[in-house]
């Protein structure tokens, strides 16, 4: 066999070599075009998603109000502002039968029109709005006033251009009379779930998500980081540690619904923890997030140069000081990157939380970690399954809130990561 190298230099100007060079350049150009096309396509899908969500969800942040004239002196028998002021204001207002007063006022002003159209004009929370107005300004009870109260969901949807024909006809009549107005829907941000779309809000689910994420990060982050440090710095290399590593890698790929089943059995059946609570939801999501943090943490610790450890040991640092004073700070940016990915996945999960009961109807925001609550993804899922058209815009508006929550959480984590990178 002849293994000698041909000493003849390559003729780069020959037609054959020029053809090969041109083919290589063409291949590189095609690869660049494919990459650029992929970026453009991804950007287009993202823009389409944002435009769709903003287009459908923007109206969810607006509320249509209808004007209602109420003669409080004649309907309350001459109640005074002083009688509904002070410490007993709430009890005094409740005793006035605000719902009956509103019903009479509606019948006096819109009775014939509502009967002809067979349509409810005001939302179920109109009487609560009137009670809140009286509490804020007790002098109203001594006046004949025109109040702007939230309209029924059908009127609200029709006024925004996506209602039923009957509601659109009534809306047109009311609009021509100047009885409809639009304002920012503050109750959507401060309220909780409700059967009436006009009264449904996102605060209960947002607070539930926030509390669930607090439990998740408090458990998953320290346990995940310490596990990564132990496996990478202290654990002996044997069959048991190999088995643990394989198990962690497999857990990171397990479908989320399996963790929901685990949480259902362990936390609810065995330990009898409160169902539908942020505590159980956070523990369940922590089990799902922990393997991701462990894997990212091990890779980050492994990427720290051995010279750092050797230099620290050389100047008299103990093994524990080497790990926590030198290795961990250098690995922390990478660990935070894995934490961002894990927490983003946990924030958007629905399946495991459905299994532990967090799909319950929760009309008030939870005040503690053990109280019934729901989260934003589950709330979006429940609203998307509603028949009423008014819940369509609520669903899109809730998605916008979820995206903003996710972006804010990621921005904080990225800031912390960059801060540690700057320090070192």
């Amino acid at each position: 066999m002849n293994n000698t190298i041909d000493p003849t230099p390559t003729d780069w100007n020959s037609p054959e070599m020029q053809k090969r060079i041109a083919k290589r350049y063409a291949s590189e150009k095609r690869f660049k075009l494919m990459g650029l096309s992929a970026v453009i396509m991804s950007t287009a899908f993202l823009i389409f998603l944002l435009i769709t969500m903003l287009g459908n969800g923007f109206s969810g942040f607006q509320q249509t109000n209808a004007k209602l004239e109420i003669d409080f002196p004649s309907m309350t028998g001459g109640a005074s502002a002083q009688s509904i002021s002070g410490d007993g204001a709430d009890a005094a207002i409740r005793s006035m039968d605000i719902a009956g007063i509103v019903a009479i006022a509606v019948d006096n002003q819109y009775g014939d029109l509502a009967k002809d159209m067979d349509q409810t004009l005001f939302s179920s929370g109109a009487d609560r709005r009137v009670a809140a107005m009286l509490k804020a300004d007790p002098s109203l009870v001594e006046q004949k006033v025109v109040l702007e109260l939230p309209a029924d969901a059908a009127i609200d949807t029709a006024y925004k251009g996506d209602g039923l024909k009957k509601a659109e006809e009534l809306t047109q009549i009311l609009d021509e009379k100047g009885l409809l107005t639009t304002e920012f829907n503050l109750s959507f941000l401060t309220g909780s779930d409700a059967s009436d779309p006009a009264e449904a809000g996102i605060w209960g689910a947002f607070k539930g998500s926030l509390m669930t994420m607090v439990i998740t990060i408090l458990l998953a982050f320290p346990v995940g980081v310490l596990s990564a440090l132990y496996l990478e710095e202290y654990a002996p290399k044997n069959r048991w540690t190999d088995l643990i590593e394989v198990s962690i890698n497999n857990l990171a790929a397990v479908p989320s619904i399996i963790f929901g089943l685990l949480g259902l059995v362990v936390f609810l059946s065995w330990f009898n923890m409160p169902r539908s609570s942020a505590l159980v939801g956070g523990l369940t999501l922590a089990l799902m997030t922990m393997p991701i943090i462990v894997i990212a943490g091990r890779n980050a610790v492994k990427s720290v140069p051995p010279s750092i450890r050797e230099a620290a040991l050389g100047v008299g640092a103990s093994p524990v000081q080497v790990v926590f004073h030198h290795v961990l700070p250098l690995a922390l940016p990478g660990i935070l990157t894995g934490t961002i990915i894990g927490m983003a996945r946990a924030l958007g999960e629905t399946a495991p939380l459905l299994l532990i009961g967090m799909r319950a109807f929760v009309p008030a925001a939870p005040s503690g970690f053990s109280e019934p609550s729901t989260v934003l993804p589950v709330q979006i899922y429940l609203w998307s399954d509603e028949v009423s058209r008014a819940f369509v815009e609520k669903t899109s508006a809730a998605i916008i809130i979820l995206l903003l929550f996710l972006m804010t959480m990621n921005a904080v984590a990225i800031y912390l990561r960059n801060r540690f990178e700057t320090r070192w």
Side-chain angles (χ1 to χ4, degrees), residues 371-422:
E371 292 189 0
S373 61
T374 187
V375 292
L376 284 171
V378 175
Q379 189 70 79
I380 292 169
Y381 167 76
L382 295 176
W383 282 352
S384 66
D385 200 37
E386 293 286 346
V387 178
S388 175
R389 291 190 180 188
F391 275 111
V392 174
E393 63 180 22
K394 300 291 184 182
T395 302
S396 299
I399 292 175
I400 294 174
I401 297 295
L402 177 61
L403 292 176
L404 291 175
F405 187 15
L406 178 62
M407 292 171 61
T408 302
M409 190 175 67
N410 286 352
V412 172
I414 291 172
Y415 167 76
L416 293 175
R417 183 188 64 187
N418 292 339
R419 184 168 179 266
F420 281 107
E421 285 180 341
T422 302

Side-chain angles (χ1 to χ4, degrees), residues 122-169:
F122 293 91
S123 73
S124 60
D127 55 328
R128 291 191 294 273
R129 180 72 67 89
V130 173
M133 290 179 177
L134 288 175
K135 186 176 180 180
D137 186 7
S139 64
L140 293 177
V141 78
E142 300 175 351
Q143 306 174 35
K144 183 178 181 180
V145 295
V146 177
L147 304 179
E148 294 184 357
L149 303 178
D152 181 73
I155 301 295
D156 180 49
T157 306
Y159 193 60
K160 295 172 182 175
D162 189 28
L164 300 175
K165 183 177 180 180
K166 180 173 64 175
E168 288 179 350
E169 294 175 357

Side-chain angles (χ1 to χ4, degrees), residues 220-243:
F221 184 74
V223 174
V225 172
L226 292 176
S227 299
L229 289 173
Y230 175 78
L231 290 174
E232 200 62 37
E233 297 292 329
Y234 297 105
K237 303 302 179 182
N238 52 36
R239 293 181 180 179
W240 290 109
T241 54
D242 292 340
L243 179 62

